[in-house]
Amino acid sequence: MPLAQAGEIFPFTGPHPAPHPVPYTQPWFLGVSNLRGGLWGVADFAGFVAGAAPAPRSDAALAEARLVTLHPALEVNSALLVDRLAGLRGLEAFSASAPAPDGSPPWYG
């Protein structure tokens, strides 16, 4: 994710409350959470990519997991649960992506 599109980064387990489940949503949608006074929809990114319910994680794995909110300029109150962060990079560290293979989801590329 380009750094300009990221908002704040929170530990998944921390002082903020765990996401509250929302009925009738996709299995990868973990619910809504109050992060610094804002209401954010929390999606398990691995589950979203797989298109399935997320695999259970151990307490140790959840301790390394992070919630990455999207930048407010994108006007989407969404946070992604990621297993770990590889580091912060500027736009110049990214390369152009290839066109998505046939049959890929619309967001893939």
Side-chain angles (χ1 to χ4, degrees), residues 6-108:
E8 292 189 70
I9 299 170
F10 299 90
F12 183 68
T13 55
H16 52 81
H20 297 283
V22 176
Y24 308 111
T25 59
Q26 297 292 327
W28 45 261
F29 187 75
L30 301 178
V32 293
S33 189
N34 179 351
L35 302 173
R36 275 197 216 274
L39 189 61
W40 297 83
V42 179
D44 184 310
F45 191 62
F48 173 77
V49 170
R57 292 176 175 85
S58 67
D59 289 341
L62 287 176
E64 288 186 29
R66 299 290 182 259
L67 291 176
V68 179
T69 63
L70 299 180
H71 195 278
L74 298 174
E75 297 181 353
V76 179
N77 281 14
S78 201
L80 303 175
L81 173 64
V82 295
D83 291 325
R84 63 185 170 278
L85 296 175
L88 302 176
R89 291 174 172 70
L91 187 59
E92 67 281 351
F94 290 87
S95 61
S97 63
D102 290 340
S104 296
W107 51 265
Y108 188 86

